[in-house]
Amino acid sequence: MMDATHMRTAPGAADKKATKMFVEGATKYYQTRTGSVHALDNVSLEVRDGEFLCILGPSGCGKSTLLWSMGGLHDLSGGEIRLGHEKISKPHPEIAMIFQDANLLPWRNLAANIALPFELKRKKVDQERVDTLLRRVNLKGFETKFPRELSGGMQQRASIVRSLSVNPSLLLMDEPFGALDAFTRDEMNLLIQEIWMETGKTIVFVTHSISEAIFLADRVVVMSARPGRIASIFDIDIPRPRPVDIQTRPDFIERVLHIKASIDHGRSPNEGLAIT
Amino acid sequence: MDKALGNKIPEFNKKKSEGGGVGLSGTSLGLGDHRTKFETLIIILVAVVIIGGAEFLLKWFGVPQYVLPTPSQIVTALFTEWKFIWPHLLTTLYELLVGFAIGASIGFVLAAVITQFPFVEKIVTPYILLLVTTPMLALVPLLILKLGFGSEPRIIAVALASGPMVMINSATGFRRVDLAKIALARSFGASTFQIFTKIRIPMAMPMIIVGLMVGSIFGLLTTVGAEMVGGAEGLGNRLTYYSALIRMPQFFAVILILAIIGISIYVLFFWIGKKWASWEA
């Protein structure tokens, strides 16, 4: 597929743990006041060790539900999710999540925000690791700043540091850059690609942007909505590191159109009629 | 699984505080951050003009002391009468602090517990509203009948007046549920208790502080009012005492002390708010 694994260097090398996640027949109903919502329907998926997997789909297709279930934040109505041989039914120390809008705690400064996972685990902050990470994402020196004093990109970088600080082997990212402007988003996409290549983490990344998915992923899983199902899976064999301007190349655009067409075909005829 | 997180669909964009509650949050009474020297000068000047003007006008029109004493007479009375007033000041502060501490603790705990159970909240809220809207002073004569003229009936009245204020505002704070923040803590393995101390309380803090401020001001009102109803101690009692004797400078000196207590409470909570809730500015 691609050989990023060979390019990976410290500090990631020492972090390496074998991670394989299996989603088997994941089915999920939400009980709401107006009735039952069928969010996931028999989703089966294997997340390979060290891969960058993007889950792509329209809003309401259950991609966040799938991710939250992988993170052990949601129970499934049916099926199961395993990390290696362990069944995921609650948050797992090897799994860290990164949320939309950075999700920093506004009453804590940056250092205290990054200390949160350690606090919750009643451990001493691994300051050396945190400092290395802060330097890596250019946030050294901003430790005493509060989230409201930081730009959206900086906030999301801080949240990445927070997640990596506890050295998980699997990162689950829930539309992390959705709220950022296009330029910051490109920047963040480059950064996350670099971090992934350096650390060898397995990343599952939820997005509704086709080009973001293609830019980042080894594999793009396209989901269809209501109920959420896997519509198709695309291998993205573009060599790494991928530069930002790759997105303007014809072959990249061709991939975008290809995936877009597959999503449009997945629509039910009724929806198509409703447009006209 | 987390109870609050439950099985809610992960859509939680900016669901801000809901529900009522008596709030000072939007108050513009703030003690400004950056005052220029010029502004300070003007503020002092206005104060001087008002106090000096009052002094001058009262003297100019020959208003008798028993109608309205001049500022200088009030300040003089404060100093000459201080040795008789301060034990009453201590009594008032004691009743206020003890009553408020009891009321605020109960109010806070009740708010924290009740907001976790929406159904219980629905049952309890009307009674809390009743306590908030009914002047607890009305109960003082009854409390005095039962408990005598000591501090106890006043302390109970203060607790009853301040507690519900703290409770209703804190409840508004605790009702703010940010699923994303809870999910975040949960994803790092937080326990329900940790979510409470690390997420829910800090998130509710701005409203808790507002509740404490409003509650303590209500407590002060109730303390003084209760002291006026009966007994022989406290600043409220001094008010009735001095006015009965038509010793107006001393009467106003007591009012001045009460004003200073009130302002101090406000300033105290303003700074607490600045320290612990400024993130929500």
Side-chain angles (χ1 to χ4, degrees), chain A residues 211-246:
Chain A
S211 55
E212 184 172 64
I214 298 173
F215 178 78
L216 289 171
D218 293 331
R219 284 193 302 157
V220 175
V221 174
V222 178
M223 287 183 70
S224 62
R226 271 172 271 275
R229 288 195 178 111
I230 292 181
S232 38
I233 298 180
F234 297 88
D235 283 316
I236 310 295
D237 49 5
I238 305 171
R240 300 190 190 254
R242 301 171 185 167
V244 172
D245 59 15
I246 199 177

Side-chain angles (χ1 to χ4, degrees), chain A residues 30 75 89 91 103 119-120, chain B residues 1 7-8 10 180 186 194 198:
Chain A
Y30 287 111
D75 286 317
S89 56
N103 205 5
E119 250 176 76
L120 294 174
Chain B
M1 294 292 143
N7 279 326
K8 285 178 190 149
R186 199 50 114 195
Q194 281 177 320
K198 307 264 180 208

Side-chain angles (χ1 to χ4, degrees), chain A residues 39-73:
Chain A
L40 286 179
D41 183 42
N42 198 18
V43 171
S44 293
L45 182 66
E46 185 191 318
V47 184
R48 296 168 190 158
D49 181 28
E51 96 171 313
F52 203 128
L53 183 81
C54 280
I55 301 177
L56 176 69
S59 53
C61 72
K63 55 192 191 302
S64 288
T65 299
L66 178 59
L67 197 80
W68 281 43
S69 304
M70 288 170 143
L73 294 175

Side-chain angles (χ1 to χ4, degrees), chain B residues 84-85 152 207 263-264 274 281:
Chain B
F84 301 112
I85 294 176
E152 293 84 358
M207 286 310 292
I263 298 275
S264 310
K274 215 171 153 105

Side-chain angles (χ1 to χ4, degrees), chain B residues 58-276:
Chain B
L58 289 171
K59 283 199 171 128
W60 180 262
F61 289 107
V63 178
Q65 201 191 60
Y66 58 83
V67 175
L68 195 59
T70 65
S72 63
Q73 287 166 337
I74 294 171
V75 174
T76 312
L78 180 60
F79 282 104
T80 55
E81 201 72 5
W82 176 251
K83 56 181 176 296
F84 301 112
I85 294 176
W86 73 265
H88 296 282
L89 170 62
L90 290 186
T91 306
T92 299
L93 287 179
Y94 164 74
E95 290 162 357
L96 174 60
L97 285 177
V98 175
F100 177 68
I102 295 171
S105 317
I106 295 176
F108 174 79
V109 172
L110 216 56
V113 172
I114 272 176
T115 44
Q116 306 304 306
F117 307 99
F119 183 61
V120 178
E121 199 183 345
K122 276 185 194 131
I123 297 171
V124 174
T125 305
Y127 301 100
I128 300 297
L129 273 177
L130 201 70
L131 284 176
V132 167
T133 50
T134 312
M136 283 305 124
L137 272 177
L139 286 183
V140 173
L142 174 74
L143 291 170
I144 288 176
L145 267 182
K146 299 267 182 208
L147 299 165
F149 287 101
S151 286
E152 293 84 358
R154 300 166 189 165
I155 288 174
I156 292 175
V158 172
L160 281 173
S162 55
M165 284 292 167
V166 175
M167 140 98 205
I168 209 158
N169 281 288
S170 306
T172 305
F174 282 121
R175 234 176 276 130
R176 301 168 160 183
V177 180
D178 189 338
L179 274 187
K181 305 267 184 292
I182 293 171
L184 168 81
R186 199 50 114 195
S187 77
F188 288 121
S191 65
T192 305
F193 182 71
Q194 281 177 320
I195 285 176
F196 192 73
T197 55
K198 307 264 180 208
I199 307 288
R200 286 186 190 275
I201 289 186
M203 198 177 272
M205 198 46 90
M207 286 310 292
I208 294 172
I209 292 170
V210 168
L212 291 175
M213 184 193 277
V214 180
S216 55
I217 298 281
F218 265 68
L220 177 63
L221 300 181
T222 308
T223 317
V224 175
E227 287 165 351
M228 291 172 83
V229 173
E233 281 173 74
L235 293 177
N237 168 267
R238 285 300 92 179
L239 287 177
T240 44
Y241 171 80
Y242 287 128
S243 67
L245 298 178
I246 323 184
R247 292 173 65 187
M248 283 334 209
Q250 289 77 7
F251 178 83
F252 276 98
V254 174
I255 289 187
L256 185 62
I257 295 173
L258 290 174
I260 291 169
I261 298 175
I263 298 275
S264 310
I265 291 174
Y266 179 80
V267 172
L268 173 71
F269 284 109
F270 179 83
W271 286 111
I272 291 179
K274 215 171 153 105
K275 180 115 176 51
W276 296 103

